[in-house]
Amino acid sequence: KFTLIFTKQKKDVLFYEGEALYQMGEYGKAIEIYDELIDHGESKAYSLKAYCLAQQKKLNKAIDVCDQGIKEHPDDGEIYCTKYAVLAKQEKYTQGLKVIERALKQKGLENKKEVFMIRVRKDESPSFFVQKQKRSIENCAKYTKIESKNHDSIQKIKFYEK
C-alpha cells in the first residue's frame, strides 16, 4: 500500500481498522496499523500501540512506546495517562504518579482535565489510597470545589469548567 497523500479519511480508516483488530485480539496486526499512524505524526497512535503491547504482556515495551510518544508529543496528556495505566498494571503506582505530575507541569498540555482525573484504581491498595488522598485533593483544587473539608474521609467533589 503506497499513498502519496495521507488524508484525514485515510487516517480515520486506519484508526477504525486498528480498533477492530484490537477488539478481535489481533494485537500484532493492530500494532502495524498504529506504527503507520505514528509514522504520519498521529500522537494518539502511541497510546493505542502501548495498549496492544500491554495486552500481549509486553509491559516494558509498552512503556518504551509511551516514552517515545512523550518525547515526540510532550503536550499530549493521553500518552502520559497511558503510561500511568501501564505502570499501575505493574503495581508501580508511585512511579505512575510521577508521570502524571510531570504531565501537569507541561505548558499547553492537551487533555489536562483527563490527566487531573487520573486517580487510584479500585485494585490499588487501601493504604496507598489513604496516603495519596490529600495530595490528590490538593492537585485537583484548581478544577474542583470540595464540599467537605474532612481529609480523613472520602471527599464529595463537584467539578467545574474553567
Side-chain angles (χ1 to χ4, degrees):
K1 302 176 198 176
F2 181 71
T3 306
L4 290 175
I5 300 173
F6 192 78
T7 63
K8 181 183 179 332
Q9 183 180 8
K10 171 130 173 112
K11 176 187 77 168
D12 291 345
V13 167
L14 287 173
F15 274 119
Y16 291 130
E17 184 178 353
E19 176 64 19
L21 290 166
Y22 178 89
Q23 293 300 327
M24 292 187 307
E26 297 285 341
Y27 306 117
K29 291 178 183 176
I31 287 170
E32 291 175 18
I33 299 295
Y34 296 134
D35 280 337
E36 185 175 346
L37 287 161
I38 287 168
D39 289 344
H40 285 88
E42 293 298 324
S43 62
K44 183 176 182 172
Y46 287 97
S47 288
L48 298 172
K49 180 179 178 178
Y51 284 126
C52 288
L53 291 165
Q55 288 297 324
Q56 293 178 322
K57 308 281 192 251
K58 298 177 181 176
L59 300 178
N60 290 331
K61 284 186 179 183
I63 289 171
D64 290 342
V65 167
C66 292
D67 287 339
Q68 180 186 1
I70 289 168
K71 182 179 176 186
E72 294 291 322
H73 304 277
D75 58 341
D76 189 331
E78 185 174 349
I79 303 169
Y80 295 92
C81 293
T82 302
K83 184 173 180 181
Y84 170 84
V86 174
L87 290 166
K89 190 171 180 93
Q90 296 175 311
E91 298 184 2
K92 296 180 179 178
Y93 308 116
T94 302
Q95 192 176 348
L97 287 175
K98 287 179 183 177
V99 170
I100 297 305
E101 288 172 3
R102 177 179 165 206
L104 294 173
K105 290 178 183 175
Q106 298 295 321
K107 293 190 186 274
L109 181 70
E110 297 171 11
N111 309 348
K112 193 168 192 166
K113 281 193 242 179
E114 287 83 359
V115 176
F116 260 125
M117 295 309 300
I118 289 294
R119 62 183 180 272
V120 179
R121 296 175 10 196
K122 284 188 256 177
D123 60 341
E124 294 177 356
S125 70
S127 62
F128 180 81
F129 176 76
V130 171
Q131 179 185 11
K132 298 298 179 184
Q133 183 182 17
K134 279 186 182 179
R135 191 170 192 187
S136 295
I137 290 167
E138 291 166 3
N139 286 340
C140 289
K142 292 179 185 175
Y143 289 93
T144 62
K145 179 181 178 184
I146 300 172
E147 292 185 347
S148 168
K149 299 293 184 197
N150 181 356
H151 290 299
D152 295 326
S153 65
I154 302 298
Q155 302 291 317
K156 185 175 181 184
I157 300 175
K158 286 188 177 179
F159 295 93
Y160 295 92
E161 295 289 328
K162 264 202 155 191

